[in-house]
Amino acid sequence: MRLPKLIALTGFIAALMVNADAGAQQIRGTPGAPDTVMTPNPFSLPAPTPPFTGTIMPNVGDSRTAWPPQVAAPADAPNILVILTDDVGFGAPSTFGGVIPTPALDRVAQAGLRYTQFHTTALCSPTRAALLTGRNHHSVGFATISETTTGFPGYNSIIPRETATIAATLQATGYATAWFGKNHNVPSWEASPAGPFHNWPSGMGFDYFYGFVGGDTSQWQPGNLFRGHTPIHPNLGVPGWNLTTATADDAIAHIRLNTSVAPKRPWFIHYAPGGAHAPHHATPEWIARFRGQFDEGWDVLRQRIFDNQRRMGVIPANAQLPPLPDVVPRWASLSANQRRLYARQMEVYAAYLAYTDFEINRVIQAVDEAGQFDNTLIIYISGDNGGSAEGGLDGTVNEVAWFNGTLFSVDQMLPFIDDWGNDRTYNHMSAGWTFALNTPYRWTKQIASHLGGTRNGMAISWPRRITERGAIRHQFHHVIDVVPTILEAVGVQAPTMVNGIAQRPIEGVSMAYTFDAAGREAPSQRRTQYFEMLGNRAIYHDGWMANTTPPVVPWDSQSPKPADVMHGYTWELYNLAADPTQMNDLAAREPARLRAMQDIFMMEAARYQVLPLDNSVLTRMISARPGPAAGRQQFAYTGPVASIQGNAAPSLLNRSYRITAEIEVPQGGANGVLLTQGGRFAGYGFYLHQGRPVFLWNFLNVQRHRWEGPTALPPGRHTLVFDWQMQPQGMPFGRGGTGTLTFNGTQVAQRALPNTLPFTVAWDETFDVGLDTGTSVDDGDYTSPNPFTGRIVRLTIDLGDSTITPAALQALQEEMARRQRRTN
């Protein structure tokens, strides 16, 4: 066969292949034309390169060009905006009866539907993993937050490649994808600029990411903020800068870019601001709006919210308002100082939530101004769990202290009352307010056994498809139902293969059947849902809920819990149709039904990787994990390195260690940071101040322990050493010891400490060499970034053995079990 005929035949065969595949790959336009697009076959994503449909001859003049079709979403596919706020109780926003104005949530509800029986997982990372994958949180490795993971499949914080995110599906289907705000789903040991990045947004299907990596951050001075994989510090030199506004600004700019450059390309945005998770950082103007509004206390507030909810129809008519738990004091019993402090805490929280919602409204307005509101599916979930009670009964001026087992009294916190919410506090509020904001449901964040921990308000709008305005839906649904809802709205199926890896089935069900008026009274298509968090658990099935009784309050991380998690908990039973707020326990009356519900829970637990049950917190938080720091005893740095998060850095806690800094001081002397981790609210620093060497431990912004040389270092090459020798005996956590600072082999400072930080430094501030990217460990000495003005030749950290051994953890668990037996 002659070559031209062979080539022509090849092109003809390729065209036949394209036509044969047309049922799988939806082609729109003339094959080969520059504007032809293709919606991939959802069986396998991303789509393979389609065959060439033109003609290739020896000479270009005898050949015919043909462009491969561009990947595009189905015709008229909607934009998708998924909004998720943080630590917001069901009764907090005005949309669901609260007194905190949330006009953005109101706007979405009024343009579409509000859902009154939507559920999350009771904790942050798990809800987010379930939201993005459409699978239960244990199924995707997120039984708990990434900082307390263990090496079991349901608990390791690694989203399997077999459970691709909705972003990966939409990206491969032609969507532009972006993530703004909080990302608490990177395994903690991978949360550094060194990666690896396959568990970052870029590896999960997102084209663009602007946000912070971790559980929370300062909204004034975030130390864990990234654009893509690059750490950024836009607050430096910008007085009044706040991440809440900056996140909205970045999202608005991104929307304008996409809608102006590629207006026909739909987009998917996951918008997850830090509000209203602690620290509650609102601007002074927002805080001023709420002054005096909560002086009547939480008893009055919860009744007011309950009355609003009944009037609005967002709770069943037969709902009862449960009494406050006995552990929460009545407002009338409080002292004047307690009332003053607690009222201020609530003012700041309300300001923060209102401020967050205001900035969300700016993002929605940008969509409207781009002319895309009608064909944008907006799903606004008010909270990734119930309101947080982790501030304890008094609240806290420093959340890092709570995670180190330290509580502040009201008298200790009152001097900070005017600073509450600014960058001098890492604040949280009294749990009394939390119970009020979770009205009418019992319990709070962390407590997956009760609806106060898992029921969150949600609103959905899509004017082109949802024609009802301001209607209410009462079907029982869960966060895993968001992904199948999006897939149905877009008109694509869940892929069977992604990047050559077979996918597990989606575990949620679509909520799109509720979009039409005919779906108003339709029975819920979710009949069964399990809940489990830190040992607290529940099972919902056909209107009934069986659940365990929480053994301790959520702000108590040290009291004993049942050692036998499987059999040591008491169970309750509720008919939610007759008793929507879990008031009338039927366990004793209907033991057979309770046993049947427990059996269903175990079937679901086995199916979705919930086992083994684990109710520990502190032991999980300090357990060894993989990553670049695992098993290493020595760390060496030969110049500036910044923005390394804790699990990828050497840990100085609960061990002896030696830090050796070989430096060169230029003529005229040197200043600046050699090494730091943490900052204003807890951490350590090694630096030159007025030319003198300083090593400083900041214990929770309460005590600062300082080792300082007497004179400034002369020009030349020098060796500075800080050596910490832990006491040989004592508790494994926070044990004291003696620190010695030497200069060129000569001791210049020594002091002993009776104890040290037991569990963590400030997690939102990173490990830095040669500068400080967050707040300083002592504001009196320097302001960040304070780069070292000399030269770091080599900085070495040598670690001794940790006291946190498997034996020590076992001893701790046994001691807690003994305490549990004594209390029973």
Side-chain angles (χ1 to χ4, degrees), residues 4 133 185 224 237 244 256 286 293 318 338 382 388 463 478 498 533 543 597 603 628 652 661 680 787 801 820:
T133 64
N185 293 106
N224 50 352
T244 305
R256 288 173 178 163
W286 278 99
Q293 292 194 19
N318 63 341
Q338 286 175 311
S382 178
S388 169
H478 189 267
V498 174
M533 190 62 60
M597 295 286 283
M603 288 188 289
L652 304 189
R680 179 175 297 139
D801 293 333
Q820 174 69 21

Side-chain angles (χ1 to χ4, degrees), residues 485-503:
T485 304
I486 293 172
L487 292 174
E488 183 172 346
V490 171
V492 299
Q493 297 177 358
T496 305
M497 303 279 289
V498 174
N499 294 320
I501 299 175
Q503 297 295 291

Side-chain angles (χ1 to χ4, degrees), residues 55-218:
T55 304
I56 298 176
M57 303 297 285
N59 292 313
V60 69
D62 299 320
S63 305
R64 180 172 59 85
T65 65
W67 292 99
Q70 297 183 66
V71 175
D76 298 321
N79 305 308
I80 311 292
L81 175 58
V82 176
I83 301 163
L84 179 67
T85 53
D86 202 334
D87 285 6
V88 181
F90 181 86
S94 56
T95 319
F96 291 90
V99 300
I100 302 172
T102 49
L105 186 56
D106 291 346
R107 179 179 188 171
V108 176
Q110 290 162 5
L113 308 169
R114 78 188 76 196
Y115 289 77
T116 66
Q117 294 192 49
F118 182 81
H119 300 83
T120 56
T121 69
L123 204 59
C124 169
S125 303
T127 290
R128 294 161 193 272
L131 172 67
L132 292 173
T133 64
R135 283 97 171 178
N136 285 293
H137 57 114
H138 295 85
S139 294
V140 292
F142 269 94
T144 180
I145 58 174
S146 55
E147 293 84 356
T148 57
T149 53
T150 59
F152 295 104
Y155 291 74
N156 62 19
S157 77
I158 302 170
I159 295 178
R161 304 294 178 86
E162 295 82 4
T163 59
T165 69
I166 182 63
T169 299
L170 294 180
Q171 183 188 56
T173 310
Y175 272 72
T177 57
W179 183 336
F180 297 90
K182 177 173 176 173
N183 177 0
H184 204 185
N185 293 106
V186 177
S188 56
W189 58 92
E190 296 180 359
S192 82
F197 299 113
H198 53 273
N199 290 313
W200 283 58
S202 62
M204 298 166 65
F206 289 91
D207 302 320
Y208 181 79
F209 171 62
Y210 175 96
F212 62 95
V213 177
D216 62 39
T217 195
S218 168

